[in-house]
Amino acid sequence: MIEMSVDTTSTSWAAGQAMGTLLMTAAIAAIVWRCTRGWRRADLHVAAAAKTPLAELRVRRRRTVAAVLAGIAVLGLVKVGFDYRPEARSAVSGTDPGVAAGAWPDRRIDPPGALGQYRLKTGEEAALYAALARGGETEESGRRTWYYGTAGQEVAAVLSVNTVEGDPGLAREKQQHSPTNEFRNFFAGAEARETAFFDAGPLPGRLGCGLIDTPDGADASLCAWTDAYTFGTLMLTDTLDLGAAARVTRDLRAATDHRS
């Protein structure tokens, strides 16, 4: 995945935003205090006009300004409370229930030979498609890819799965980034449009889909899912309905990621 320079869902970003709000609040309070200095130091003529002893008048005005400053401080703290909402990292938010923190579930990644109208390409045919699509991909990435055809298309679906078991780099990314940031980076790198999120299904994590342009200039649906252990994608060339693409992705994910 392409990594953006700033993770706006991170704790450090949220802390920076909170600090900025606090500094702004302090600056506003300082300006109010400075601008009311003359008003707080009422002179004898003002006190006489108000028919109030000078010392008492000054105390009242100081208390009024102090109340305004307290209100400014409260508003600043309330804004910090609403804004400070860092998102949990993928390694935490997408874990399986009952699996200890930092542990991985017992499972195997094994896509089905058929799912609805889709049929898995195998043998020499699969090797040919893999060679054509490999490009600059290296085996060290840990990503595994499968190709599905239909009666009407040689290749109508391309499934790719990258796991923390097979890619230590992915495991580190999931410790550092949130699901939102993973999706942002992935869909930005794919130049996807009309992206939307859908129910992830029986497995934990999140699922999103968008539309992309294929190398031959056609449109295709591109879906991705992420949890604490996996980042998977499915490109479909036979549908541009993102809801339908999400359903196929959800079903294929459940049939591929076998957990005990």
Side-chain angles (χ1 to χ4, degrees):
M1 292 180 291
I2 296 176
E3 291 190 27
M4 307 292 278
S5 58
V6 178
D7 181 358
T8 57
T9 66
S10 67
T11 301
S12 58
W13 172 270
Q17 294 295 100
M19 182 60 67
T21 298
L22 292 176
L23 290 175
M24 181 63 70
T25 301
I28 293 173
I31 291 172
V32 170
W33 182 258
R34 183 177 181 82
C35 290
T36 59
R37 179 172 55 184
W39 183 77
R40 296 193 314 271
R41 296 175 179 176
D43 56 25
L44 290 173
H45 295 90
V46 174
K51 298 181 181 181
T52 304
L54 179 60
E56 182 180 343
L57 181 61
R58 287 177 173 176
V59 169
R60 286 181 181 178
R61 291 190 172 187
R62 283 198 296 270
R63 288 176 176 173
T64 299
V65 174
V68 171
L69 296 180
I72 292 172
V74 169
L75 290 175
L77 292 174
V78 169
K79 180 170 174 54
V80 168
F82 276 106
D83 290 347
Y84 187 77
R85 299 181 184 278
E87 186 177 343
R89 306 298 86 179
S90 295
V92 175
S93 64
T95 55
D96 280 8
V99 176
W104 298 338
D106 293 330
R107 63 173 183 158
R108 60 184 174 86
I109 302 298
D110 184 18
L115 182 74
Q117 63 180 324
Y118 302 100
R119 299 293 180 270
L120 179 65
K121 301 291 185 180
T122 59
E124 294 183 0
E125 190 177 19
L128 174 62
Y129 286 117
L132 292 173
R134 186 180 302 279
E137 185 87 359
T138 61
E139 293 183 0
E140 287 76 12
S141 69
R143 181 176 297 277
R144 300 169 63 191
T145 303
W146 298 267
Y147 302 88
Y148 284 84
T150 64
Q153 290 182 275
E154 281 297 310
V155 174
V158 180
L159 170 68
S160 292
V161 179
N162 202 7
T163 66
V164 293
E165 299 97 323
D167 186 353
L170 180 66
R172 289 191 297 270
E173 285 185 23
K174 288 185 176 295
Q175 292 286 345
Q176 298 168 0
H177 299 297
S178 67
T180 296
N181 199 62
E182 285 190 280
F183 281 122
R184 182 189 300 122
N185 293 342
F186 173 73
F187 284 125
E191 299 183 353
R193 58 190 185 276
E194 300 182 29
T195 54
F197 293 97
F198 300 89
D199 176 28
L203 295 175
R206 292 176 61 185
L207 168 65
C209 299
L211 299 178
I212 61 169
D213 297 321
T214 62
D216 59 5
D219 290 334
S221 300
L222 179 64
C223 294
W225 74 86
T226 183
D227 57 30
Y229 325 107
T230 309
F231 191 89
T233 66
L234 180 67
M235 184 181 73
L236 296 169
T237 60
D238 62 341
T239 181
L240 300 181
D241 183 333
L242 295 184
R247 288 191 293 274
V248 174
T249 304
R250 193 162 46 238
D251 292 343
L252 191 53
R253 178 195 181 195
T256 298
D257 193 338
H258 306 275
R259 307 186 185 187
S260 57

